[in-house]
Amino acid sequence: MQKELAMIEKNQTWELVERHQHQKVIGVKWVFRKKENVDGLINKYKARLVVKGYAQVFGVDYFDTFAPITRLDTFRMLLAIATQKQWKIYQLDVKSAFLN
């Protein structure tokens, strides 16, 4: 939990502000998982702080949505173009994410 909170603070994902009387607070919850090796031994424990988005109402609490998802055929096409043009390809693993 401390690592997750440290990443949220480091990335300046959110800032604490005063709540107006007419605004409702959308809660968060902790999700805990344990990652195991192929042999079944525990590799590490993970904790994620997630927002209870189901409590939000479109047009009241938010106006836009964004989901960073790509289709597999689009990804394959980009890899094919990069291969043809001999571009370098880099991988990025995202350790922490927080929905606003």
Side-chain angles (χ1 to χ4, degrees), residues 7-89:
M7 287 301 292
I8 289 170
E9 188 174 308
K10 176 185 169 198
N11 294 330
Q12 298 176 349
T13 305
W14 54 268
E15 63 184 70
L16 187 61
V17 296
E18 288 191 31
R19 180 178 69 96
H20 298 262
Q21 283 187 334
H22 66 279
Q23 290 178 323
K24 68 176 182 179
V25 175
I26 298 171
V28 295
K29 66 178 179 178
W30 284 101
V31 176
F32 300 100
R33 292 185 60 205
K34 61 180 176 181
K35 299 284 257 183
E36 297 177 352
N37 296 329
V38 289
D39 58 2
L41 295 175
I42 296 173
N43 183 15
K44 62 181 171 180
Y45 293 97
K46 297 182 85 170
R48 292 287 177 252
L49 184 62
V50 296
V51 68
K52 295 179 180 177
Y54 56 82
Q56 294 178 308
V57 177
F58 181 76
V60 176
D61 300 313
Y62 68 97
F63 300 100
D64 294 319
T65 59
F66 174 74
I69 299 171
T70 184
R71 291 176 45 164
L72 189 56
D73 54 344
T74 304
F75 186 69
R76 286 182 180 153
M77 181 189 69
L78 288 173
L79 285 177
I81 292 171
T83 302
Q84 285 179 343
K85 300 199 178 268
Q86 298 180 347
W87 291 341
K88 288 184 179 181
I89 299 173

